[in-house]
Amino acid sequence: MELRLQKWGNSIGIRIPSSILKSLNLKVSDTIELNQVEDKLVISKSKHKKISLDERFKKYSGENLAKEFVWDDSRGNEIW
């Protein structure tokens, strides 16, 4: 399939036909990989699984660097 490079802002891009996106189960905002193999560009689905913030916290084994702090004394009806 032959595609034309197009100027988009300060970048150059291509449009990927929806039939190819559907066959690869790719959607807007999905991550893909771009590699150069000799004189070819190879675009493939990213092998990295998206993980949620909760999963990231569960995997974290480092020290908790967060410390309790106070912005200011309450003035009025604030509940701290």
Side-chain angles (χ1 to χ4, degrees):
M1 173 179 295
E2 217 172 89
L3 300 172
R4 182 182 305 246
L5 294 175
Q6 297 179 333
K7 182 112 172 112
W8 288 346
N10 291 330
S11 301
I12 294 178
I14 60 169
R15 293 182 188 214
I16 302 171
S18 62
S19 59
I20 292 176
L21 295 174
K22 285 179 187 175
S23 69
L24 294 173
N25 194 26
L26 288 171
K27 301 174 282 312
V28 172
S29 297
D30 282 353
T31 304
I32 59 173
E33 293 183 20
L34 178 65
N35 295 298
Q36 178 181 351
V37 179
E38 296 177 12
D39 64 339
K40 296 176 176 62
L41 290 176
V42 178
I43 301 173
S44 55
K45 287 178 74 168
S46 180
K47 295 179 181 140
H48 301 286
K49 178 188 165 210
K50 290 182 184 178
I51 60 172
S52 70
L53 186 57
D54 284 337
E55 291 173 317
R56 288 179 191 260
F57 277 124
K58 287 177 187 171
K59 289 183 178 182
Y60 182 72
S61 60
E63 180 185 353
N64 184 356
L65 301 175
K67 296 187 176 25
E68 192 171 328
F69 63 93
V70 177
W71 288 100
D72 203 352
D73 295 331
S74 58
R75 301 172 192 229
N77 296 326
E78 297 98 342
I79 299 173
W80 298 102

